[in-house]
Amino acid sequence: MSICTDSFVPAASAMAKLYGFPAYEFATMPHPLASLDQEQIDSCARELMPQLLRILGVEP
Amino acid sequence: MATAVQGVPPDATDSGAHDSGSPKVDAPDVRAPEVDAPEFDAPEFDAPEFDAPEFDAPDIDAGEIRAAMEYYARQQWTDGLPVVPVTESYLTEFLARTSRDPSDVVLAMPHLNRECTVRLAAINAAMAGCLPEYFPVVLAAWDALVGEGYVTRAIWQSTTGTAPLLIVNGPVRNQIGLNSAGNVFGSGFRANATIGRSIRLTAINVFGLHPHLLDQATQGTPAKYSACIAENEEASPWEPLHVQYGFDPAESTVTAMVIRSCVHIEARHTQQPEQLGLDIAGTIARTGAMVHETTSATVVLSPEHARVFASAGWSKQDVRQFLYDRAASSRADLAAVGKDAISRNTRWRLPAGHPDALPADESFDPVPALNSPGAVQVMVAGASNAGVSAVIESLGARGNPPSIAKVEGTVKVSSTA
């Protein structure tokens, strides 16, 4: 499972295509990440969970 | 009009020897397109009179030249500027300058599943505008880049936006007309411009590092077009860079490093080495450049500044030691910009109190910007006409010797030079 910020979707997609997985699905989150504090990171993680569970195929 | 131009001849279309991801030397249909010249009213002005130079322009079909250039542009085999069309016959002239097999690999990037061969390096050197006799220098540049090591770790895809800097030493500088004097970082010299450009074109055409895709540079640097300088050995009071690292003065070398910035030092007022040294040390230690725990730099002294040090009896090593001793920031200054601690995982700078921060060692203040005198290189380049120098802010090796490769092959100026 790969998570990237939305700014990196073009580069991540190019790498996936390069490796022969053009439809590889990333979980994405808003940019930026590096400057967030702990509370903001925790919030991002919570917001990401539905995406992660969907891509992993976890049934509701 | 005669059609003497041989843009990309049909004999280049079916070689079948192209590597994947490479610019193929296939032939555009170079029949001259219809060119609709826009009509416009030319402004009237009094043209200054001057002695026109004698032109010996070949009689060619400009439309065919443009068709070939536009073909390359459509394939995106370019850094944005026009490239030189390459034929198999022209390529042969480049390959004749080296004993290496065209299929030899000069650089592999396994994470991209791509590699650059001698042939591909030659194609891109020719496209960049190199003359065949430059090719041994281009190959040495690749050797030095491989030895430097950062390139294979995806640094050319990084948001930091680095560029390779090539520094040429030895007799080849004068044999192929590399500029080491005035405007050394600027334009105007074919060898400098095109050798550096050949690396960028290869990055784009062979490794597929197109901006906005695999090249994620946030801003990049103008050096990404081309960054190739020569040391002004003749105007230096010290031994040249390559001799410092064990090469013979009669040998020619290319030193490669990964750079981000070229910061200029303006100090015309002083003949005191300490004043000049502090000016340079302060630039090396600027907090904006402090990404990691320490940094590295190459100080490119103008001949005038080099003489300020040498006239006071300072060796190159003395300069490096002084810069190591004095390139530092106070803890308060680092704290003010939130760079007073080190990440336990990445060793990048971040604020004390960050969950990833290592406990601060406050036993030393100020905090050195360099980890050793070896983290700063000193060389001489530029004109001997002002107290102007530069600090090249580099990534990569901090304290280890720079990566230097010997120029091998036939560098013999041809009649086309």
Side-chain angles (χ1 to χ4, degrees):
Chain A
M1 176 67 65
S2 299
I3 305 171
C4 66
T5 63
D6 46 21
S7 297
F8 288 90
V9 169
S13 299
M15 285 298 286
K17 188 176 178 185
L18 200 65
Y19 278 88
F21 299 96
Y24 189 89
E25 191 170 4
F26 299 88
T28 60
M29 58 177 286
H31 195 80
L33 170 64
S35 57
L36 300 186
D37 61 25
Q38 188 64 54
E39 189 176 325
Q40 291 167 318
I41 293 276
D42 291 344
S43 173
C44 280
R46 280 191 295 272
E47 290 173 19
L48 268 170
M49 282 309 292
Q51 268 196 81
L52 298 176
L53 295 173
R54 181 186 60 76
I55 294 172
L56 287 170
V58 177
E59 294 182 356
Chain B
M1 179 181 288
T3 54
V5 66
Q6 188 183 21
V8 185
D11 68 359
T13 59
D14 58 356
S15 71
H18 308 300
D19 302 47
S20 63
S22 69
K24 297 177 175 57
V25 192
D26 59 356
D29 184 349
V30 291
R31 287 171 296 188
E34 295 288 333
V35 178
D36 294 326
E39 292 186 13
F40 64 96
D41 294 326
E44 291 194 12
F45 66 97
D46 293 326
E49 290 189 12
F50 64 98
D51 292 328
E54 294 286 334
F55 287 113
D56 57 352
D59 187 9
I60 53 174
D61 188 324
E64 291 193 357
I65 293 176
R66 215 187 74 188
M69 285 167 47
E70 293 300 335
Y71 174 78
Y72 279 70
R74 284 196 302 276
Q75 309 307 314
Q76 300 184 345
W77 297 338
T78 175
D79 52 5
L81 294 167
V83 300
V84 176
V86 183
T87 63
E88 283 289 349
S89 57
Y90 190 40
L91 189 59
T92 301
E93 294 184 43
F94 283 74
L95 297 175
R97 300 288 176 156
T98 178
S99 60
R100 302 189 201 184
D101 190 89
S103 65
D104 284 356
V105 174
V106 298
L107 172 63
M109 290 203 191
H111 74 285
L112 295 175
N113 196 26
R114 287 174 178 166
E115 57 189 28
C116 176
T117 60
V118 169
R119 175 186 165 85
L120 290 173
I123 291 172
N124 282 278
M127 287 168 67
C130 287
L131 291 171
E133 53 262 39
Y134 303 172
F135 192 49
V137 180
V138 173
L139 287 176
W142 283 113
D143 291 343
L145 285 164
V146 170
E148 197 276 338
Y150 231 136
V151 160
T152 52
R153 307 210 310 271
I155 193 65
W156 286 351
Q157 295 175 257
S158 167
T159 48
T160 296
T162 65
L165 170 68
L166 310 176
I167 301 164
V168 184
N169 278 100
V172 75
R173 297 167 305 132
N174 298 324
Q175 290 166 349
I176 64 172
L178 275 161
N179 181 33
S180 66
N183 208 37
V184 68
F185 290 111
S187 55
F189 296 86
R190 182 172 182 175
N192 301 64
T194 61
I195 290 170
R197 189 190 186 202
S198 76
I199 305 299
R200 175 57 40 199
L201 285 183
T202 303
I204 293 169
N205 295 331
V206 178
F207 295 108
L209 301 182
H210 292 273
H212 300 189
L213 291 171
L214 290 178
D215 181 343
Q216 304 162 77
T218 306
Q219 294 187 320
T221 158
K224 289 182 81 166
Y225 278 103
S226 180
C228 176
I229 64 173
E231 182 163 24
N232 194 339
E233 299 176 14
E234 293 76 7
S236 172
W238 303 305
E239 61 185 4
L241 185 67
H242 68 318
V243 175
Q244 181 186 332
Y245 288 99
F247 288 89
D248 189 273
E251 292 178 310
S252 296
T253 63
V254 178
T255 304
M257 49 185 69
V258 175
I259 71 162
R260 179 58 173 88
S261 309
C262 177
V263 189
H264 99 297
I265 305 286
E266 189 102 10
R268 303 165 186 252
H269 58 281
T270 186
Q271 295 186 49
Q272 297 180 31
E274 292 83 4
Q275 281 187 348
L276 178 57
L278 285 172
D279 227 359
I280 297 169
T283 302
I284 292 173
R286 73 179 182 90
T287 59
M290 295 299 291
V291 181
H292 303 107
E293 184 173 11
T294 57
T295 190
S296 58
T298 294
V299 177
V300 182
L301 293 172
S302 65
E304 184 173 317
H305 275 168
R307 284 196 297 274
V308 168
F309 291 117
S311 298
W314 291 31
S315 67
K316 196 190 285 191
Q317 189 58 30
D318 291 334
V319 176
R320 299 170 85 195
Q321 183 67 45
F322 182 90
L323 295 175
Y324 167 64
D325 291 339
R326 305 305 290 268
S329 296
S330 70
R331 288 205 169 273
D333 284 347
L334 287 170
V337 296
K339 292 184 174 180
D340 49 330
I342 306 297
S343 161
R344 74 180 70 246
N345 292 311
T346 65
R347 310 296 295 182
W348 283 39
R349 290 201 160 271
L350 39 66
H354 189 283
D356 194 31
L358 287 166
D361 176 3
E362 297 183 356
S363 60
F364 53 93
D365 191 359
V367 180
L370 301 166
N371 69 4
S372 65
V376 60
Q377 303 299 330
V378 175
M379 60 172 285
V380 177
S384 188
N385 63 4
V388 175
S389 291
V391 171
I392 304 287
E393 295 172 329
S394 51
L395 303 180
R398 285 183 284 275
N400 299 324
S403 178
I404 307 177
K406 185 177 171 184
V407 176
E408 297 174 304
T410 311
V411 178
K412 182 181 172 187
V413 178
S414 73
S415 58
T416 56

